[in-house]
Amino acid sequence: MHTEAVVVHTDGLCKSYDTINAVKSLDLSIKKNSIVGFLGPNGAGKTTTIKLLLGLTRPTGGSATVFGHDIVKDSIEIRKRVGYLAQDPCFYEYMTARETLRFVARFYFSGPQHAIEQRVTDTLTNIGLEHHADRPIRGFSTGERQRLGIGQACINSPDLLILDEPASSLDPMGRRDVLELLLELRQQTTVIYSTHILDDVQRVSDMVAILNRGQLVSFSPIEQLLSGNSGTVYSLVIKGDASQAQANVASQPWVSSIEVTSENGQTIWQVKVTDDKAAEEQLLTLAMSDGQMTVCEFKRKEYELEEAFMQILDSSDND
Amino acid sequence: MTNGGELQLIREQGWRIGFVNLMRREISRRFSMRNWLIQGVIWLVLLNLVLALVLEAEEGGQTITAGVTAFILATSVLAPIGMVVAAHGAIINEKKAGTAAWILSKPASRIAFILSKFITIGLGFVIIVIFLQGLIAYTQLSVFGGGLIPAFPFLGALILMAINVIFYLSFTLFLGTIFEARIPVLGIPIGLIIGQVFLLAFLGNVSEWLPNLFPGSLSDMAIQTALESSTSAPWILPVFVTLSLTALFVYLAIVRFRSQEF
């Protein structure tokens, strides 16, 4: 398992603070070049997991590797290949953006001064701070700090980029830039990023990890998550008297439930099925066989990430 | 990870990783001309103005003796306090500001983090406060004495005082890795500096050699060295004790910092 194809592998990783279990037996395997969205409510363990991977905090149980290096014994080897943006990025306030990037670049690279300067200038341009490059950071806005944070995380062209809430302080333009950056980096970098902005996760992630109370409650491809976790649901919008058709549909062995709601004089059925093929072939025909109603809309239901996320959290809270 | 042509990926291993870069930052921060000028003027007033007043006040053949004694006593108390004030925020400020966590998320060893601070703070302070002020004091004493006073004994005294302030630097850095608040990091070493004045007097009454087990005895030794007084005190003992304690506190600071979580 510990090959370059798997960038991050955790095995029963735990972190406790006195009586609080911040991370509980985390089993995770993140493949190369994937973009993984870390979701979860505040205090779910996202930041703690990130800090464990970076060696900023030590596990109280289990183990983990990044690029095959143990997170406790070989933390520096890991950090040579990682770029990290903290949730609340902190810098030396007296330094300028240019000085900060130069300082960070020298942790990774040696070489002629002009080559370092070129790398710094390119990064400043990429993050849109070229006009503020020589201003001390103490005068920066939150958004400018966030941009600088992203720049310093990317300056070493990392093999693994870890971003903790990268878009939280950015305006819509900045947020769009971050998402575009993530998509650009997909070819050469593995990305882990935690966020509360579910729309962003839905747009760029391959995999979604959902943590709740320190536990990994879901880790699956985004498509799988959006298709729901409680069977396939078909949605029908109906006009007219649908009581007979409803009884017909409900009697089918492949129908597990029908949820009926009314909206603007229309009836909406959410039909949960156990056999996808049977539903595709027969459901619409059965509904339309009763001449007293009209089917205005028929589609397989796709969940919004927020809906799926809330469902997963609710069910994990009830467990 | 791409290195972009002429750039090479860093090759350092172990504790040295990040050391040069951290040293470079600390030097640019602490060794700026503005910083040196401010520090230089403050310490000129605190140490050499005191010496000038003593030299002015004293008359007769004891002027040099009184001047040397006053300068070394003032330096032995004020310089360690200055060192504690200068160093007390070195670790705590970085922990509180989040910059320690930021640095340690890069390829930088925790040993390099501590050592870069120890070396640059220590070097800067010893140059400005001990040797620069010592040179000015030496010039003043020579002018008042009407000729050069012996240089090597005076230099020996300065080295002993440098050892003394470096001890307090190591102790303060160690405390900075233990506490999260400034008050104990500032208060404990200053309490030790002042407390030792009384403690050594008391211990001296119990046994002649007992004070030599404390760094505070280096000030008496520095006076005797500068004045070339004959002494029965085993000078090697307080130097050895102080250097050993310095090494111990640096080691403990590293051990403690390595176990910290961010």
Side-chain angles (χ1 to χ4, degrees), chain A residues 130-170:
Chain A
E130 64 271 38
H131 301 301
H132 306 293
D134 299 306
R135 247 177 45 194
I137 295 169
R138 70 171 70 89
F140 274 27
S141 68
T142 316
E144 286 168 337
R145 279 170 186 273
Q146 198 79 1
R147 284 170 183 272
L148 179 61
I150 291 166
Q152 60 85 38
C154 295
I155 200 159
N156 58 326
S157 308
D159 294 326
L160 171 63
L161 183 61
I162 300 178
L163 306 171
D164 199 353
E165 305 271 1
S168 60
S169 324
L170 296 176

Side-chain angles (χ1 to χ4, degrees), chain A residues 42-63:
Chain A
N42 289 335
K46 304 184 295 289
T47 299
T48 306
T49 304
I50 287 171
K51 286 185 172 181
L52 284 166
L53 297 179
L54 286 165
L56 290 173
T57 187
R58 278 181 308 284
T60 46
S63 62

Side-chain angles (χ1 to χ4, degrees), chain A residues 28-42:
Chain A
L28 201 61
S29 208
I30 296 175
K31 288 184 184 152
K32 192 177 175 181
N33 293 348
S34 54
I35 300 181
V36 180
F38 256 41
L39 298 179
N42 289 335

Side-chain angles (χ1 to χ4, degrees), chain B residues 100-121:
Chain B
W102 174 51
I103 298 292
L104 296 174
S105 72
K106 312 295 172 204
S109 82
R110 296 186 182 211
I111 298 177
F113 188 89
I114 295 287
L115 286 185
S116 64
K117 292 196 180 296
F118 178 72
I119 293 169
T120 51
I121 297 172

